[in-house]
Amino acid sequence: MTSEIQDVFQFVSTQAPFNQLQESATRYFCSHLEVVYLSHENQQDWLKSDNPHLYLVRSGHFDLVNGKGELVTRLSQGDYFGFPSLLTGDMIQNRLEVQTAGLVYVLTQTHFDFLRREYKAFEQYFVRAHANRLLSSHYKQSSDSWSERKIAELMTRTAVTLLPSASIQEAAKTMSEARVSSIMITDDSALLGVVTDRDLRNRVLAAGVDPHEPVASIMTTKPKYIFENNRVFSALHLMLKHNIHHLPVLDEERKPLGMITSTDLLRQQKSDPVQLIGRLYKAESVAMLKRYAAEIPDLLKRFSNNIDDISLMGKLLSGLSDALTSRLIQLFQQERGDAPCQFAWICFGSQAREEQTLHSDQDNGLVLPNTLNEEQKVYFSEMGRYVCDHLHECGIIHCPGNIMASNPECRGSVVQWVTRFNKWITEPTPHAMLNCKIYFDIRFIDGNNDLYNDLVQGLTKIARNDLFYAAMATDINANSVPIGLFNQFKLEKSKTTSRFLDLKKRGVVIINDIARLYALKAGIKRSNTLERLDALAKFNLISKKDLFDLKDCWRFLTQLRLRTQINQEGLPGNCINPENLSSLERHQLKEAFYLIKQAQQACAFKFARGSL
């Protein structure tokens, strides 16, 4: 075997489904494929409607675009495309656009059909992949949906950086030559600070600073930043919250990729939610906040009609809750005086995961210094009550379990918080497991970020406990999906409503719990369920296929759940009547529950049996 063929074989053998097939399948694929270098010049020669092939990307980046010019998916190393037409016989509707030229392995229909016949697992893989495409039909990625786009899709240039020892004059010259309004200050690929054209005016010219001074002397240290795979909506929210106009973009290794400006993002903004968030952050009184909050229900209905993925409503609602909370904290300090010491306002549960719905309640708390005098305790007690009560009046109701900063048990030092968590971990009773489901989804809202980081570091150290993981896995499997004998739905019924399925309890919550458990095991600090599942792709804890299935199921169930809430179908808040679904949706729903059940069983095997 030549070195070139050996290289192809080694690559293909690591890709699904070949990594689970006999070596003979991989050898057949490798001996019958054609290697094509796809570039801008020849991109029109492929994906012809009357000549389907299976394509496996080896290198480069490519976009699949539909007939309306909308982005269907972005392809990179290890991704397949072309298989739907091979499976169904339908005409190819999409076209290929090369973003970065690269190698693609191409297999004809004849050889694809041979592998389908001879290797059942090969066929099942692509049939399942096609089913998942159908399952996700409600939330296809669209270039017209500004809030769905990833930050990486807006990046048009590489990062412009300087060392901290460079002079201010050198920074100005570099910015001028690169035609940018800001520059990142880095050292060994680590982001240290940011300098903008406004800094050059206000901190240098207006202040009479010597331009030969090091640029580090005028930079903004510890700047806010965003990761390349975050959404446009998240970037807009971050800019509005902190009143910034330049946002560094980092890759997953925290290395700078470039800079996004408010102008870049506002070009993408086509809906009102971000404008409302901006108004909330600038509201001059509680009465004004309440008036703005009253607009939210109608705004959500309009917003849901303008986007393909209404699961983004969770991000929007959480953004609105963040804005209301931050502004109430500021208004309290205007009335009561500045906080007497550092504090961190944190949130838990669905708000922390950025997955709130129209029926979500409050889950929040305060992290405080180790020692407080009585006057300081009274101040933060009043802050907790002020913010929580006004949030309730704005439509974010009080937590029935009293998990709120107005409760003394939800105000404490880092040591006190970590002690509580440690008790739940070392004594995993059913009540402790319930607490962990809420409290281990945690996010910073306002105040001192260092206090929050200290808390997260403390929780990371104590969360590594195999007994705790096993208890969580057992708890996850105690919640069954609503599918009974003969693949029929197991419906619930109340005294006042017709029969229904609880999509939250019997579906979404299970996925949230699975993602949380794996994330804790891997040390992933993110709270959002989809971001946790994305981050898990780098760990050998769960297969990429299972991750893809869980993300698909979560989105689909969230779509149905939110649609029911928006349409006010007269059922309990998180429930649906499957009779109101189309036959395709009922099929997709059963498929989703089947996949969730499989993930539950795998989770129990890995954790409860101590195989990790």
Side-chain angles (χ1 to χ4, degrees), residues 362-375:
Q362 298 179 44
D363 291 308
N364 50 55
L366 276 165
V367 185
L368 302 167
N370 289 322
T371 57
L372 292 178
N373 59 39
E374 287 304 314
E375 183 178 351

Side-chain angles (χ1 to χ4, degrees), residues 374-546:
E374 287 304 314
E375 183 178 351
Q376 291 170 332
K377 290 179 181 178
V378 170
Y379 180 94
F380 288 111
S381 173
E382 292 178 355
M383 173 187 281
R385 185 169 59 253
Y386 178 98
V387 175
C388 294
D389 286 349
H390 286 313
L391 283 175
H392 179 83
E393 293 169 3
C394 288
I396 308 173
I397 63 173
H398 286 140
C399 172
N402 204 21
I403 302 174
M404 296 181 293
S406 54
N407 178 1
E409 292 187 3
C410 293
R411 301 190 301 270
S413 67
V414 170
V415 173
Q416 290 171 323
W417 277 109
V418 171
T419 300
R420 293 181 69 193
F421 276 80
N422 190 57
K423 182 176 176 60
W424 298 330
I425 290 170
T426 55
E427 301 176 14
T429 63
H431 181 69
M433 291 297 96
L434 179 61
N435 283 333
C436 289
K437 291 180 181 181
I438 300 171
Y439 286 97
F440 264 111
D441 297 336
I442 183 172
R443 187 164 57 85
F444 174 77
I445 297 295
D446 209 308
N448 181 267
N449 199 54
D450 291 337
L451 272 175
Y452 169 75
N453 289 334
D454 289 344
L455 172 60
V456 171
Q457 290 177 9
L459 297 182
T460 301
K461 292 178 182 178
I462 65 171
R464 304 189 180 282
N465 184 300
D466 289 339
L467 177 63
F468 171 58
Y469 297 147
M472 289 188 72
T474 301
D475 181 76
I476 289 170
N477 275 270
N479 186 8
S480 60
V481 298
I483 296 292
L485 292 175
F486 309 112
N487 203 31
Q488 297 299 307
F489 290 122
K490 295 171 64 175
L491 302 180
E492 302 176 48
K493 187 176 181 179
S494 69
K495 294 180 179 180
T496 58
T497 62
S498 59
R499 294 163 71 83
F500 58 84
L501 289 174
D502 190 328
L503 295 180
K504 177 184 177 182
K505 181 179 179 181
R506 301 298 184 186
V508 175
V509 163
I510 298 175
I511 300 174
N512 291 345
D513 292 347
I514 292 171
R516 182 187 305 108
L517 175 53
Y518 280 107
L520 286 171
K521 178 67 177 180
I524 294 168
K525 295 181 176 62
R526 300 180 186 183
S527 296
N528 180 266
T529 298
L530 293 182
E531 290 179 4
R532 280 171 166 168
L533 293 173
D534 282 336
L536 282 166
K538 294 186 176 182
F539 298 87
N540 190 29
L541 294 176
I542 183 170
S543 72
K544 289 185 178 180
K545 175 185 175 301
D546 289 343

Side-chain angles (χ1 to χ4, degrees), residues 27 56 75-76 90 93 149 181 185 196 220 243 257 280 394 404 453 486 497 529 580 592 597:
R27 292 192 180 280
L56 172 59
L75 303 161
S76 58
D90 294 338
Q93 303 295 326
R149 300 189 67 186
S181 57
I185 310 304
T196 68
T220 298
N243 192 29
L257 291 178
L280 291 174
C394 288
M404 296 181 293
N453 289 334
F486 309 112
T497 62
T529 298
N580 295 334
K597 184 176 181 180

Side-chain angles (χ1 to χ4, degrees), residues 283-292 324 327-328 331-332 335 386 390-391 393-394:
E284 297 178 358
S285 66
V286 172
M288 191 175 292
L289 277 178
K290 293 176 183 177
R291 287 200 300 272
Y292 291 155
L324 284 167
R327 192 57 186 148
L328 284 169
L331 290 173
F332 173 78
E335 294 180 18
Y386 178 98
H390 286 313
L391 283 175
E393 293 169 3
C394 288

